[in-house]
């Protein structure tokens, strides 16, 4: 388990905390591997019946650690990020998100694979892929419009719109909004309630609700291929260079 990913189990609920506050909980390849392993262990466990993902301190996650990704092998088969996306999108048991602050990039797109999403009042949501010379991931090009509508999805994915928690709730992206100080406790209560439900019924119900898995998997694969190609592109190299030099990127 990565030191930046912590697990805590109380009763039948396991909480995974993204804990890299010095980097706004940005996720590295090693962290993705740890998150995938935790989700796969949960999927196979008979004892744990609800899984909560949250962030440490005042961020959910700033998304991918771009410096870490820029050093990754783009030709690696089944890299950790894909392991995580597969694990969260195919998990047969309830996955709950407690969004305690800004949810950026994968911080937003992973929510589309969670069954319940709770957020603090100060949480925000955005997916600046185009700004980073990348493309949507995690089947968000398919699922986000299904969640919030095409116009709003385009506003988020193409124009970089940032949603407040109340806006995200109004569009149906998240389940409930709580005061910042109440989020962890309220999410824990609901997770415990979910964990007490009939486990086989819960699995069957989730499988019925998420009946588009083949379509989701196909879109995720297509996005991944294009995403990897963009990681090798001059556009992405310019973004990384501009970030390191603290300047605006310049695209010819």
């Amino acid at each position: 388990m990565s030191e930046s990913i912590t697990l805590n189990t109380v009763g039948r609920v396991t909480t995974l905390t993204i804990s890299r506050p010095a980097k706004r909980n940005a996720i590295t390849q090693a962290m993705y591997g740890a998150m995938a392993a935790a989700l796969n262990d949960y999927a196979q466990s008979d004892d744990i019946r609800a899984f909560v993902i949250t962030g440490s301190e005042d961020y959910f996650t700033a998304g991918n650690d771009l410096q870490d990704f820029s050093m990754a092998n783009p030709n690696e088969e089944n890299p950790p990020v894909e392991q995580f996306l597969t694990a969260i999108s195919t998990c047969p048991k309830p996955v709950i998100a407690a969004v305690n602050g800004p949810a950026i990039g994968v911080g937003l797109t992973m929510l589309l694979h969670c069954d319940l999403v709770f957020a603090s009042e100060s949480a925000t949501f955005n997916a600046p892929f185009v700004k980073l010379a990348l493309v949507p991931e995690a089947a968000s090009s398919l699922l986000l419009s299904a969640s919030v509508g095409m116009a709003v999805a385009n506003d988020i994915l193409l124009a970089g719109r940032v949603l407040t928690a109340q806006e995200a709730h109004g569009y149906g992206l998240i389940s409930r909004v709580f005061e910042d100080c109440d989020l962890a406790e309220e999410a824990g209560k609901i997770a415990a309630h979910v964990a007490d439900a009939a486990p086989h019924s819960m699995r069957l119900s989730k499988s019925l609700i998420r009946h588009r898995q083949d379509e989701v998997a196909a879109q995720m694969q297509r996005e991944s291929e294009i995403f990897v190609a963009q990681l090798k592109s001059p556009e992405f190299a310019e973004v990384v260079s501009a970030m390191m030099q603290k300047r605006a990127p310049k695209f010819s």
Side-chain angles (χ1 to χ4, degrees):
M1 189 61 59
S2 167
E3 64 182 9
S4 298
I5 298 297
T6 64
L7 296 175
N8 181 49
T9 298
V10 177
R12 294 186 179 275
V13 179
T14 290
T15 298
L16 180 154
T17 303
I18 306 168
S19 186
R20 199 182 176 214
K23 295 293 185 179
R24 301 187 302 174
N25 295 338
I27 305 175
T28 64
Q29 293 285 339
M31 293 165 67
Y32 275 122
M35 294 166 72
L39 279 162
N40 288 331
D41 286 347
Y42 163 59
Q44 297 169 16
S45 170
D46 292 328
D47 297 324
I48 308 304
R49 295 181 182 173
F51 191 93
V52 180
I53 302 175
T54 192
S56 65
E57 299 191 11
D58 56 357
Y59 253 79
F60 184 61
T61 174
N64 295 335
D65 183 316
L66 292 183
Q67 187 172 3
D68 179 77
F69 266 69
S70 69
M71 295 184 293
N73 178 4
N75 299 313
E76 179 182 1
E77 286 192 26
N78 196 27
V81 60
E82 292 189 13
Q83 295 172 31
F84 167 71
L85 293 177
T86 297
I88 195 170
S89 65
T90 62
C91 185
K93 296 157 63 177
V95 178
I96 300 166
V99 184
N100 56 302
I104 302 171
V106 72
L108 185 157
T109 60
M110 75 167 74
L111 304 180
L112 301 169
H113 301 283
C114 294
D115 305 292
L116 294 165
V117 181
F118 308 121
S120 64
E121 289 184 328
S122 63
T124 55
F125 306 82
N126 71 305
F129 297 113
V130 172
K131 180 180 178 180
L132 298 173
L134 297 171
V135 297
E137 46 157 40
S140 58
S141 57
L142 172 70
L143 296 175
L144 189 60
S145 60
S147 175
V148 303
M150 183 66 74
V152 177
N154 286 346
D155 210 1
I156 296 168
L157 294 175
L158 303 182
R161 179 180 175 183
V162 180
L163 297 182
T164 65
Q166 292 296 344
E167 287 173 331
H169 182 255
Y171 289 127
L173 179 63
I174 63 178
S175 312
R176 310 187 203 184
V177 180
F178 298 108
E179 292 186 11
D180 290 12
C181 60
D182 294 334
L183 174 65
E185 181 180 358
E186 294 298 330
K189 288 179 182 177
I190 299 168
H193 175 74
V194 169
D196 285 340
H200 188 54
S201 171
M202 185 67 73
R203 283 175 177 259
L204 291 173
S205 297
K206 176 166 179 171
S207 70
L208 289 168
I209 294 167
R210 294 192 175 269
H211 62 278
R212 301 172 65 188
Q213 284 306 107
D214 289 346
E215 185 180 2
V216 169
Q219 188 71 357
M220 195 179 300
Q221 178 60 35
R222 184 164 182 268
E223 288 174 346
S224 178
E225 292 169 358
I226 299 172
F227 195 100
V228 168
Q230 279 300 109
L231 285 174
K232 304 175 186 177
S233 72
E235 287 184 340
F236 181 71
E238 168 60 13
V239 166
V240 173
S241 176
M243 292 179 68
M244 295 182 70
Q245 297 174 28
K246 301 184 185 304
R247 62 172 175 82
K250 298 177 182 179
F251 304 110
S252 59

